[in-house]
Amino acid sequence: MILDVHISGRLVAKLYRERDEYVLKYLPGTELADFVSLTMPVREEPWRWPRDLFPFFRQNLPEGYLLGVIREEFGAMLDGTDLSLLGLVGGTGIGRVSITPEGVQPGIDMDPLEITHMLQAENTAEHFAELVRQYARVAISGVVPKFIAKDASHNQQPLGKPTLRTGFHIIKGSDDNTPFLGFNEFYTMHVLERLNVVPVATCQMSEDGRVLVVDRFDVDEQGIPHYGLEDACGLLGLPPHEKYRPTVEQVWNATRSYMGADRLREQREHLGWHLLTNYVVRNADCHAKNIALYYTSQADVGFTPVYDLVTTQAYPRFAASPPGLSLGGRQTWTPGRSLETFFKSVLSIPPAQYAAMVEQLCQSAVEVGHKVIEASKNEPAWRDVAKHMVHAWNDGMETLRSAKAAPQFRGLDNAIAEAGFSGPRKPESRGEVVGRSELLAKKR
């Protein structure tokens, strides 16, 4: 099987397997600006990767629920390899690179979705599963039910066959392990978003709290993929299932090498805000695929807007999970001085600035925590997840504000008591990390 590789609709390379290697071969005359990946610049000599598909091409391959749907719907078109899966879904996905079977133009016919209607509808599991099946043939990673869609309200003019236009939105649903995920992620994202210190993906929550509509940041106003996008997992040469293996230090070293010196200061702070937010809101699912770079050229490489912030501790199955990436040789929610030391020695953020960032996030968590509690008063179905979200944020504030757990730093105690919330339930004993397979060996 030979696949065509396109940059913003322009054919630039061939991707195929040769004996025990995968090969990416740029076409003669390909412009230097039309590189497929930061790790594989344009050159005459083919790029080769042993045994498995290049990590870059695996970064957007479907996982979990969506992968199961694709196998059910399109199993006859798959031969069991990642190459055939990429050929099936790669024509429409995230980022400026699209992949199709040889001779096939990128893009697929995608029926518009009434986003406003979906935000107001009752999104039952059965209804959302049907939508996932309808929009399944796209390249998007992640284990929760999700798909890409374009909003029917956008009155788009035809752009011609050579132009690839994809959906404006990523639609994320809930499952049995993460009920009301839309509610959880919407308010968790707001803790960082309201500070306006770094870009954060824009999102809307459905009225029933089950669905989150995330605006894509890799497309322009016409829905044309404009940015290249590469996650840290791929930059480290790792397959997606090893996304929890790297350390924060390794992620920073893998991403910083592609950034211009004039952008390093703001990018250090960007990563710093992202990391601290995970500790405050207790998001155990910040792995190497949730930290990514985007760019229009090698001159403007930087971190993407922050996305996929979820209070994982609010769900019993994942409540005992540690941070997804180790830091200072440890995976713990009580990092002591190691987090501050990392900020000072690696990110060049002095202790006074670090302390101020922590306080800003904690104050924001308190403000948003009151909104979470108020929302749960209006919708009783959200009460359980809301209760565990604010308990988790209380824990996060307590351990970040003090090297020793200090109850006086729990900023939501009074609000929790006034809401009549009981204490958090005991976590399930499995201690799983969101997205980590139970079949994998324990992390070293």
Side-chain angles (χ1 to χ4, degrees), residues 159-194:
L159 295 176
K161 290 184 179 179
T163 304
L164 170 66
R165 180 161 55 198
T166 59
F168 286 91
H169 311 287
I170 297 171
I171 318 295
K172 303 174 68 173
S174 308
D175 61 19
D176 292 341
N177 293 319
T178 55
F180 301 106
L181 183 65
F183 174 89
N184 184 328
E185 188 166 344
F186 176 79
Y187 283 103
T188 302
M189 294 273 285
H190 193 50
V191 172
L192 179 58
E193 184 269 336
R194 66 183 296 276

Side-chain angles (χ1 to χ4, degrees), residues 301-350:
V301 179
F303 287 116
T304 66
V306 177
Y307 57 93
D308 282 2
L309 287 176
V310 179
T311 303
T312 56
Q313 190 171 306
Y315 299 116
R317 186 172 181 180
F318 310 112
S321 297
L325 300 174
S326 66
L327 186 145
R330 304 169 65 206
Q331 273 183 286
T332 175
W333 292 120
T334 54
R337 295 292 182 185
S338 61
L339 190 56
E340 181 180 331
T341 299
F342 172 82
F343 271 64
K344 180 181 179 180
S345 61
V346 178
L347 299 184
S348 300
I349 295 176

Side-chain angles (χ1 to χ4, degrees), residues 114-136:
E114 293 285 353
I115 300 294
T116 302
H117 174 73
M118 190 185 66
L119 289 171
Q120 297 172 347
E122 182 179 355
N123 295 285
T124 64
E126 294 77 13
H127 174 63
F128 197 84
E130 183 56 37
L131 286 175
V132 172
R133 290 183 182 278
Q134 182 179 348
Y135 292 89

Side-chain angles (χ1 to χ4, degrees), residues 80-371:
T81 68
D82 282 342
L83 196 64
S84 68
L85 178 59
L86 185 63
L88 176 68
V89 303
T92 299
I94 304 296
R96 68 177 191 166
V97 178
S98 53
I99 305 98
T100 64
E102 191 172 30
V104 176
Q105 286 292 323
I108 59 174
D109 291 331
M110 184 182 294
D111 293 332
L113 180 66
E114 293 285 353
I115 300 294
T116 302
H117 174 73
M118 190 185 66
L119 289 171
Q120 297 172 347
E122 182 179 355
N123 295 285
T124 64
E126 294 77 13
H127 174 63
F128 197 84
E130 183 56 37
L131 286 175
V132 172
R133 290 183 182 278
Q134 182 179 348
Y135 292 89
R137 197 171 169 178
V138 294
I140 182 171
S141 65
V143 297
V144 300
K146 67 171 70 170
F147 59 90
I148 295 175
K150 61 183 179 182
D151 194 341
S153 65
H154 285 275
N155 185 20
Q156 299 170 324
Q157 299 299 317
L159 295 176
K161 290 184 179 179
T163 304
L164 170 66
R165 180 161 55 198
T166 59
F168 286 91
H169 311 287
I170 297 171
I171 318 295
K172 303 174 68 173
S174 308
D175 61 19
D176 292 341
N177 293 319
T178 55
F180 301 106
L181 183 65
F183 174 89
N184 184 328
E185 188 166 344
F186 176 79
Y187 283 103
T188 302
M189 294 273 285
H190 193 50
V191 172
L192 179 58
E193 184 269 336
R194 66 183 296 276
L195 293 178
N196 198 31
V197 288
V198 294
V200 177
T202 302
C203 57
Q204 300 176 75
M205 179 186 78
S206 63
E207 291 183 0
D208 63 6
R210 292 188 172 95
V211 170
L212 192 75
V213 176
V214 184
D215 291 355
R216 288 176 57 177
F217 46 74
D218 63 309
V219 300
D220 63 18
E221 63 278 359
Q222 292 182 308
I224 301 171
H226 184 60
Y227 289 90
L229 193 145
E230 303 190 44
D231 62 44
C233 193
L235 292 172
L236 285 163
L238 299 174
H241 67 264
E242 294 191 28
K243 59 192 175 185
Y244 296 98
R245 180 178 139 190
T247 65
V248 173
E249 293 88 345
Q250 289 172 329
V251 166
W252 169 243
N253 288 333
T255 52
R256 66 167 294 186
S257 59
Y258 297 103
M259 301 173 186
D262 60 328
R263 308 198 76 195
L264 277 180
R265 180 176 178 179
E266 67 175 356
Q267 297 306 309
R268 285 189 179 104
E269 291 186 359
H270 184 121
L271 181 61
W273 283 109
H274 192 173
L275 293 175
L276 284 179
T277 304
N278 289 311
Y279 280 86
V280 170
V281 301
R282 291 295 172 92
N283 174 30
D285 205 38
C286 181
H287 47 67
K289 287 183 65 60
N290 283 342
I291 300 176
L293 300 177
Y294 78 149
Y295 50 81
T296 60
S297 71
Q298 291 175 319
D300 64 357
V301 179
F303 287 116
T304 66
V306 177
Y307 57 93
D308 282 2
L309 287 176
V310 179
T311 303
T312 56
Q313 190 171 306
Y315 299 116
R317 186 172 181 180
F318 310 112
S321 297
L325 300 174
S326 66
L327 186 145
R330 304 169 65 206
Q331 273 183 286
T332 175
W333 292 120
T334 54
R337 295 292 182 185
S338 61
L339 190 56
E340 181 180 331
T341 299
F342 172 82
F343 271 64
K344 180 181 179 180
S345 61
V346 178
L347 299 184
S348 300
I349 295 176
Q353 184 180 355
Y354 167 85
M357 292 168 71
V358 169
E359 279 308 305
Q360 282 182 265
L361 278 168
C362 289
Q363 289 300 321
S364 186
V366 171
E367 293 292 332
V368 180
H370 283 91
K371 294 181 180 180

Side-chain angles (χ1 to χ4, degrees), residues 2-4 6 11 14 100-106:
I2 299 177
L3 301 183
D4 286 343
H6 312 259
L11 179 62
K14 300 286 183 176
T100 64
E102 191 172 30
V104 176
Q105 286 292 323

Side-chain angles (χ1 to χ4, degrees), residues 21-49:
E21 294 181 318
Y22 282 88
V23 180
L24 176 73
K25 174 65 174 174
Y26 283 104
L27 300 179
T30 299
E31 298 289 338
L32 294 179
D34 284 339
F35 59 91
V36 170
S37 165
L38 293 166
T39 63
M40 295 182 288
V42 177
R43 69 180 190 182
E44 291 186 10
E45 182 184 355
W47 290 95
R48 298 178 180 274
W49 193 263

